[in-house]
Amino acid sequence: SANTLLLGVPASAQSFKFAAINDPAGFNTEARGINLSGEIAGFYQTDTTCRETVLDIRYMPNCTKHGFTYINGAYKTVDVPGAISTVVNGLNDYGDLVGTYTTNDGGIYGFLWLHTGTIKQINAPQQGYLAIPMSVNKTLVVVGEWGGGSFRWSNGTFADLKVASDSGCPSCNGAAGISNGGTIVGYSMKGDSWRGFLKRGTDFDFFPKFENGDSFTDAVNDNADMVGYGGGATIAYLAKTVESNEGTSDVEKSPAYIKFEY
């Protein structure tokens, strides 16, 4: 995985600088989140015999993982105590982490790991369903996906986040990112492809296809700048201030995608 830094140049002439993020303790490093201080969090693998698909890695890795943080040039392994596998999916500006962990008996649980050391479980309200926390903001609102679609968790309260999907697959959606102000982004199956979405207050936007294919919107800030990927999972994008593109008639318009490829 790579950490992508945008240089301050016009959109028509955007260029990017890539820096490798590879935890030296393992391989298949996945950088999943970055905060205002530039701290990065994610997970890596040490078992060289285990293989999984891109979708496995995105939703719920099958191989044993270890979480990590990358702060001031130093990697630190982050494993939930007693867990055999820890997946870190996001962090906030205080360094609080969210993700999932697996126990010896095969149980999988969502977690919020506060920078103070306290670990809270985040579990789906229905037995047999897994909650996968993907992002947390600085007010400790967590969003993610579960067997019923998308969820929002705050102060111990788990709430289903209603996201429209195809009638044949009403739970085919997932919340992936939340800004400090509460703007939420994610993805949903609409028509014949995955579409990125943005929820800001009562406004709920679904975006057109990206590169004539799937679009997964993964993160957003309070300016409604969002990042994601699509085009057969090979092209990443940045779309700035997407809400400003709508106009006065509230007709949804395609974001101005800035594409970048490693």
Side-chain angles (χ1 to χ4, degrees):
S1 299
N3 171 33
T4 306
L5 305 176
L6 176 66
L7 303 179
V9 294
S12 59
Q14 293 285 7
S15 60
F16 297 87
K17 180 180 179 181
F18 290 86
I21 302 295
N22 294 311
D23 195 305
F27 66 102
N28 280 354
T29 303
E30 289 278 327
R32 285 296 179 94
I34 186 169
N35 65 15
L36 189 63
S37 300
E39 299 170 348
I40 296 170
F43 54 88
Y44 65 91
Q45 182 176 330
T46 56
D47 182 359
T48 59
T49 65
C50 187
R51 297 289 184 269
E52 56 196 349
T53 69
V54 172
L55 288 180
D56 288 332
I57 296 172
R58 177 176 180 81
Y59 296 107
M60 187 61 233
N62 291 320
C63 299
T64 298
K65 305 292 185 181
H66 300 277
F68 78 88
T69 57
Y70 181 71
I71 301 174
N72 296 327
Y75 291 92
K76 179 182 178 181
T77 296
V78 177
D79 284 327
V80 172
I84 62 172
S85 181
T86 300
V87 174
V88 177
N89 286 325
L91 79 166
N92 64 12
D93 289 339
Y94 299 123
D96 305 316
L97 307 171
V98 291
T100 60
Y101 68 94
T102 305
T103 55
N104 274 313
D105 60 2
I108 304 175
Y109 307 93
F111 71 83
L112 166 63
W113 192 336
L114 302 176
H115 67 280
T116 56
T118 301
I119 301 175
K120 299 177 181 289
Q121 274 193 8
I122 299 177
N123 296 318
Q126 296 181 26
Q127 189 173 4
Y129 285 91
L130 170 64
I132 305 175
M134 297 296 289
S135 180
V136 58
N137 67 11
K138 67 180 183 181
T139 61
L140 298 183
V141 179
V142 179
V143 296
E145 53 191 82
W146 71 296
S150 304
F151 76 84
R152 180 183 185 276
W153 182 95
S154 178
N155 197 29
T157 300
F158 189 102
D160 193 29
L161 182 64
K162 299 299 183 183
V163 179
S165 299
D166 282 351
S167 57
C169 191
S171 62
C172 290
N173 60 79
I178 184 168
S179 75
N180 286 330
T183 299
I184 298 172
V185 293
Y187 36 87
S188 178
M189 179 60 71
K190 303 281 286 183
D192 60 349
S193 62
W194 292 96
R195 305 291 183 90
F197 74 76
L198 181 145
K199 182 182 186 301
R200 192 172 199 179
T202 59
D203 190 21
F204 213 126
D205 301 344
F206 289 93
F207 302 112
K209 292 182 178 181
F210 176 68
E211 294 291 292
N212 200 35
D214 294 332
S215 173
F216 295 92
T217 305
D218 281 339
V220 65
N221 63 17
D222 284 335
N223 293 327
D225 305 319
M226 65 181 194
V227 292
Y229 70 92
T234 61
I235 304 174
Y237 62 76
L238 162 69
K240 296 184 177 180
T241 59
V242 293
E243 289 290 86
S244 64
N245 294 329
E246 292 186 331
T248 58
S249 63
D250 201 32
V251 175
E252 308 302 341
K253 296 183 178 180
S254 176
Y257 292 113
I258 300 170
K259 297 178 289 185
F260 53 96
E261 299 178 80
Y262 182 66

